[in-house]
């Protein structure tokens, strides 16, 4: 109806039996939306007045820019994805007016079903930003492949964002992608909250990177592997080794159901650099690697309610006051000011 407000559609089915009329009343809610069906997009802005629904893909063409306004609701059909192909994506959510990504099945029974769509895919993208987004119930929330050689910084910078209940990964960095994340909650995904495969760079500060996923194949919250065996240009299986020039996690929480919530598996042959400082980590036995500095280990973080994705914490939490003020951020994910003795993770008590 070319309007942004929801509407009610009413109809009825008439049954005529032996001269007797019987009626079944039908009522359904509907709403106009912007539909993107295998669409290749030039530079544009997605408005927030109506939902956006993606079938197949919505692709940002090379050197083009997609800007998404705060408060935009994006629904993706089965296997659909938002695909940034060498372009720029800027998601401009704000606190309490986030940009949401979820599946297009709106029945209550689908509220917590993962794998309903693929996710957001960056292919050699130009520097992009995601601020205040909620990315839930997909397969791989953010997938970053390779880095545009002309980029001097990160492929994507993610801030104040919640990524949860994806069937495989929260953030997947593959073969050279570079991701910076601050004040993010990445939780309850099927495999890893953060997965780096065949190299790439990551810089995470004040993030809550936790497991607690429901999948049978659940793995530690963080998985890092700088190699991968795949066919080369001739189809011959070959082990490719990538560099990790920046592997930094500061003032964050790495926790879950397992005794060891991170795994690092590397081969020599490419540069490697790791730096984990002032985090709270579940890992037994406690690691002795030199890149672990001023971390705390294995105490229950006393999260309020992981079952409903609430990873704030109670007053007895060991996360309180453990972050480094020199590398902290002025506000938490809920815009609460961090004091002179800031807490670890995305939330300030």
């Amino acid at each position: 109806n070319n309007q942004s407000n929801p509407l009610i559609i009413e109809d009825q089915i008439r049954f005529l039996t032996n001269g007797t009329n019987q009626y079944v009343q039908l009522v359904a809610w509907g709403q106009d939306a912007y539909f993107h069906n295998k669409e290749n997009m030039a530079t544009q802005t997605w408005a927030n007045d109506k939902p956006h629904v993606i079938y197949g893909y919505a692709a940002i063409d090379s050197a083009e820019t997609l800007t998404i306004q705060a408060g935009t609701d994006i629904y993706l059909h089965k296997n659909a994805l938002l695909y940034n192909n060498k372009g720029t994506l800027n998601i401009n959510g704000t606190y309490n007016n986030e940009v949401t990504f979820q599946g297009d099945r709106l029945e209550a029974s689908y509220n917590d079903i993962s794998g309903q769509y693929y996710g957001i895919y960056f292919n050699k993208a130009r520097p992009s930003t995601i601020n205040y987004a909620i990315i839930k119930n997909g397969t791989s929330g953010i997938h970053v492949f390779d880095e545009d050689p002309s980029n001097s910084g990160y492929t994507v910078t993610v801030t104040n964002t919640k990524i949860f209940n994806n069937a495989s990964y929260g953030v997947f960095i593959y073969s050279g992608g570079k991701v910076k994340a601050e004040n993010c909650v990445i939780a309850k995904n099927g495999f890893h909250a953060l997965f780096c495969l065949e190299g790439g760079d990551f810089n995470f500060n004040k993030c809550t990177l936790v497991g607690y996923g429901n999948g049978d194949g659940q793995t530690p919250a963080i998985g890092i592997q700088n190699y991968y065996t795949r066919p080369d240009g001739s189809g011959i299986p070959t082990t490719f080794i990538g560099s990790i020039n920046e592997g930094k996690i500061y003032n964050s929480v790495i926790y879950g159901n397992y005794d060891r919530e991170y795994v690092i598996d590397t081969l020599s042959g490419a540069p490697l650099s790791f730096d984990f400082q002032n985090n709270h980590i579940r890992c037994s036995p406690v690691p002795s690697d030199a890149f672990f500095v001023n971390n705390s280990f294995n105490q229950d973080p006393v999260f309020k309610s992981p079952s409903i994705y609430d990873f704030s914490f109670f007053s007895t939490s060991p996360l309180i006051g453990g972050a480094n003020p020199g590398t902290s951020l002025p506000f938490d994910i809920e815009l609460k000011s961090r004091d002179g003795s800031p807490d670890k993770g995305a939330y300030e008590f």
Side-chain angles (χ1 to χ4, degrees):
N1 64 356
N2 292 319
Q3 297 181 15
S4 59
N5 293 328
L7 56 114
I8 299 176
I9 303 169
E10 297 179 290
D11 209 331
Q12 58 185 2
I13 301 175
R14 174 193 176 205
F15 292 89
L16 177 60
T17 308
N18 296 328
T20 301
N21 283 311
Q22 295 174 298
Y23 296 91
V24 175
Q25 303 297 325
L26 304 176
V27 180
W29 287 93
Q31 184 174 9
D32 283 353
Y34 299 104
F35 289 91
H36 310 274
N37 187 358
K38 296 182 179 179
E39 178 181 351
N40 295 301
M41 299 179 291
T43 294
Q44 61 184 271
T45 297
W46 282 8
N48 60 10
D49 56 334
K50 294 187 288 188
H52 292 254
V53 183
I54 300 176
Y55 285 84
Y57 60 82
I60 307 166
D61 278 342
S62 177
E64 304 291 344
T65 298
L66 172 63
T67 302
I68 303 179
Q69 294 181 342
T72 303
D73 292 318
I74 300 168
Y75 299 90
L76 296 96
H77 193 61
K78 184 178 180 181
N79 297 325
L81 71 160
L82 178 58
Y83 182 52
N84 183 357
N85 182 33
K86 303 179 182 179
T88 300
L89 172 64
N90 292 319
I91 297 175
N92 297 330
T94 58
Y95 179 54
N96 281 337
N97 200 24
E98 293 88 351
V99 175
T100 60
F101 291 81
Q102 59 188 307
D104 66 349
R105 295 295 298 267
L106 303 184
E107 304 94 318
S109 58
Y110 279 80
N111 286 347
D112 289 312
I113 299 298
S114 63
Q116 295 182 50
Y117 61 98
Y118 187 75
I120 306 174
Y121 192 108
F122 295 83
N123 175 45
K124 297 182 180 179
R126 295 189 174 189
S128 299
T129 60
I130 299 174
N131 187 41
Y132 277 110
I134 297 173
I135 305 168
K136 62 180 182 178
N137 299 340
T139 297
S140 184
I142 296 174
H143 184 156
V144 183
F145 170 64
D146 209 346
E147 172 86 345
D148 184 329
S150 67
N151 284 355
S152 59
Y154 299 98
T155 315
V156 58
T157 299
V158 189
T159 51
N160 305 304
T161 289
K162 297 178 181 179
I163 304 172
F164 59 85
N165 200 43
N166 294 286
S168 294
Y169 314 109
V171 174
F172 179 17
I173 303 169
Y174 176 61
S175 190
K178 298 179 181 179
V179 176
K180 182 175 182 177
E182 296 178 337
N183 276 346
C184 292
V185 178
I186 309 174
K188 298 191 71 172
N189 298 285
F191 295 101
H192 304 294
L194 168 61
F195 183 37
C196 181
L197 179 65
E198 200 184 306
D201 291 351
F202 53 91
N203 181 333
F204 281 63
N205 188 18
K206 289 297 204 173
C207 291
T208 300
L209 304 163
V210 292
Y212 302 105
N214 298 318
D216 292 337
Q218 184 185 170
T219 52
I222 294 177
I224 300 167
Q225 182 175 311
N226 76 326
Y227 66 92
Y228 185 52
T229 301
R230 54 182 172 84
D232 63 11
S234 304
I236 300 172
T238 303
T239 298
F240 292 86
I241 302 174
S243 61
I244 301 175
N245 295 305
E246 183 180 43
K248 181 183 295 184
I249 302 179
Y250 282 5
N251 305 310
S252 296
V253 185
I254 304 168
Y255 212 84
N257 294 322
Y258 288 167
D259 288 338
R260 186 183 182 92
E261 283 292 340
Y262 82 92
V263 59
I264 298 177
D265 181 11
T266 59
L267 296 177
S268 61
L272 295 172
S273 177
F274 298 111
D275 185 8
F276 288 23
Q277 293 189 30
N278 295 91
N279 304 294
H280 186 75
I281 304 171
R282 184 167 186 177
C283 183
S284 182
V286 172
S288 58
D289 304 84
F291 59 81
F292 286 95
V293 179
N294 294 328
N295 300 281
S296 58
F297 294 92
N298 298 327
Q299 286 182 273
D300 187 342
V302 202
F303 293 129
K304 285 187 177 178
S305 190
S307 64
I308 58 171
Y309 309 103
D310 183 357
F311 291 95
S312 59
F313 40 85
F314 290 105
S315 60
T316 55
S317 174
L319 307 181
I320 294 175
N324 181 355
T327 55
S328 187
L329 302 171
F331 300 99
D332 77 349
I333 192 173
E334 296 180 334
L335 290 180
K336 184 182 295 184
S337 294
R338 296 189 186 270
D339 57 26
S341 182
D343 305 334
K344 297 178 180 180
Y347 295 95
E348 187 79 1
F349 181 73

